[in-house]
Amino acid sequence: MASISPIDLQKALKGAEYPAGRDDLVAPAKDNGADDTLVEKLADATADEFDGPNDVQKAVFGNA
């Protein structure tokens, strides 16, 4: 399985509106054809709400 890139994350979250909760991001990711691994990382994110794409990227990739 290929690793997930920030570009994959951006494509998966196309059309998402912020602030958004985990469930608000999982649905568009699935609709946009995101890899199952990416969907799982979004669903398992520790934050309950994200203010924007940068917050999501930090949660998925663990970078500060």
Side-chain angles (χ1 to χ4, degrees):
M1 178 180 296
S3 63
I4 300 165
S5 74
I7 293 172
D8 295 329
L9 180 61
Q10 290 174 1
K11 289 179 183 177
L13 298 178
K14 182 179 178 183
E17 295 185 19
Y18 297 93
R22 274 190 303 258
D23 292 341
D24 298 326
L25 298 177
V26 168
K30 287 180 180 179
D31 291 344
N32 289 327
D35 181 271
D36 288 342
T37 303
L38 178 62
V39 173
E40 286 178 29
K41 285 187 173 264
L42 286 171
D44 294 341
T46 55
D48 291 326
E49 187 167 288
F50 303 92
D51 290 329
N54 288 340
D55 285 347
V56 180
Q57 185 166 328
K58 288 176 188 175
V60 170
F61 295 108
N63 50 355

